[in-house]
Amino acid sequence: MPKPTFFRLADEKRQRLIKAAYAEFARVPFQTASISNIIRDAGIPRGSFYQYFEDKTDIFFYLLDQTRMQTTSLYEQALRRHNGDLFAALDEFFNAAADVLIEGPDAEFYANVFLYMDFQSATHFSPSDAKPPHKKELLRTTLSLIDRDKLVVSSDEEVGMLFRQAMWIFMQSLGHYYHRLRNGEQISLAQLKARMATMLHWLQFGAGVQKEDLHD
C-alpha cells in the first residue's frame, strides 16, 4: 500500500501518478510493466516514486484496491436499494460492476488483470476464507444487510456459502468473456450480462424441472 508521503502529495500530482500507472498496466501485463514508463509519464524522478510506493507490485495492488472499494460501494448501494433482497441486489451489482470493468475509463487495465491474472491478483479479487479480514467486506456487507426472510438459508455459514457461489458466477463469467476476446471471438457486454443473469436465476430457482411442471 502507498507510503504516507503519497497521501501528502498535491492532488494534481497524485492523480498524475495514478493515471500513469493505470496507463502502463493497461498497456502491458503486470509482469512486463515498467516503473520507468510510469515515472516518465507522471513526470517524477525515480527516487520520488520509491518515496510513495515500495515497487510496482505496491502500486498495482493500490489500483486493485480502488476497484475493490468501488465495487464494495456499488454492492452496498444495491443491497440498500432493494431492501436486503440478495438476488435482486446481486443482479443490479453484476450489471453495474460489468459496466465499470468492461466499458469504464480503465477497461483496458481490467482486461489485462483478467487476461493475465496470476495467483496474487486472483486472490485479491475473489472471495476466500483464506483472505485477511479486510478482504471480506462484501461478505460482511451481505451478512449485515440481507433480508434472510427471502432466503431458505439462515446461518452465517450458509449465507457465506451462497454468497461465494454467487461471486463465482460473476468471476467465471468475466473469465469467460475475456477468454473469448483473447481468442478473437466477439462477445458483447449485453451477452455477458445475459449469461450472468441466467446463472444467477439458476442459483436462485434451480435448473431442474420441478415435479409439478412434468404434469402440466
Side-chain angles (χ1 to χ4, degrees):
M1 288 297 102
K3 299 177 181 179
T5 49
F6 173 75
F7 297 104
R8 293 198 290 268
L9 282 172
D11 185 64
E12 185 276 333
K13 188 173 183 179
R14 187 169 60 249
Q15 292 304 318
R16 193 168 70 241
L17 174 56
I18 293 307
K19 182 179 179 181
Y22 270 120
E24 177 64 5
F25 292 122
R27 186 182 67 84
V28 293
F30 169 81
Q31 289 81 358
T32 53
S34 166
I35 290 177
S36 296
N37 291 336
I38 294 174
I39 61 176
R40 183 196 64 218
D41 291 350
I44 64 172
R46 179 174 289 269
S48 294
F49 176 88
Y50 290 106
Q51 290 178 4
Y52 312 137
F53 294 94
E54 290 290 342
D55 49 29
K56 74 174 183 180
T57 299
D58 204 18
I59 194 169
F60 179 72
F61 278 99
Y62 174 72
L63 300 184
L64 289 185
D65 252 13
Q66 302 312 293
T67 304
R68 176 183 58 79
M69 289 189 291
Q70 184 178 10
T71 53
T72 298
S73 177
L74 287 172
Y75 182 58
E76 181 175 346
Q77 291 170 25
L79 272 173
R80 293 187 184 280
R81 194 159 25 246
H82 292 281
N83 299 311
D85 185 327
L86 178 61
F87 282 97
L90 285 168
D91 183 57
E92 178 181 320
F93 168 68
F94 284 2
N95 283 285
D99 286 337
V100 170
L101 296 173
I102 306 300
E103 292 192 338
D106 302 308
E108 292 182 359
F109 165 73
Y110 300 127
N112 269 351
V113 170
F114 279 91
L115 285 171
Y116 304 101
M117 188 176 284
D118 58 17
F119 175 77
Q120 282 185 309
S121 53
T123 56
H124 197 90
F125 266 108
S126 58
S128 166
D129 286 334
K131 298 170 78 171
H134 72 280
K135 306 301 184 186
K136 301 179 181 179
E137 291 175 77
L138 291 178
L139 178 55
R140 287 202 301 269
T141 300
T142 302
L143 293 171
S144 64
L145 294 179
I146 60 166
D147 181 353
R148 302 193 189 209
D149 290 338
K150 289 185 167 63
L151 301 171
V152 296
V153 301
S154 56
S155 70
D156 285 1
E157 181 180 0
E158 290 175 336
V159 171
M161 292 167 60
L162 178 62
F163 171 78
R164 282 186 282 273
Q165 287 295 309
M167 288 299 106
W168 178 87
I169 289 173
F170 181 66
M171 295 299 295
Q172 192 276 342
S173 296
L174 285 174
H176 172 80
Y177 172 86
Y178 286 116
H179 178 74
R180 288 186 62 176
L181 287 186
R182 189 176 187 177
N183 289 341
E185 302 176 51
Q186 294 298 314
I187 179 171
S188 67
L189 178 59
Q191 288 173 304
L192 168 62
K193 289 181 176 181
R195 177 189 177 90
M196 292 191 294
T198 296
M199 297 175 74
L200 191 60
H201 180 86
W202 289 343
L203 181 61
Q204 182 176 8
F205 299 107
V209 177
Q210 301 300 312
K211 289 184 178 180
E212 54 268 26
D213 296 332
L214 295 174
H215 299 293
D216 287 346

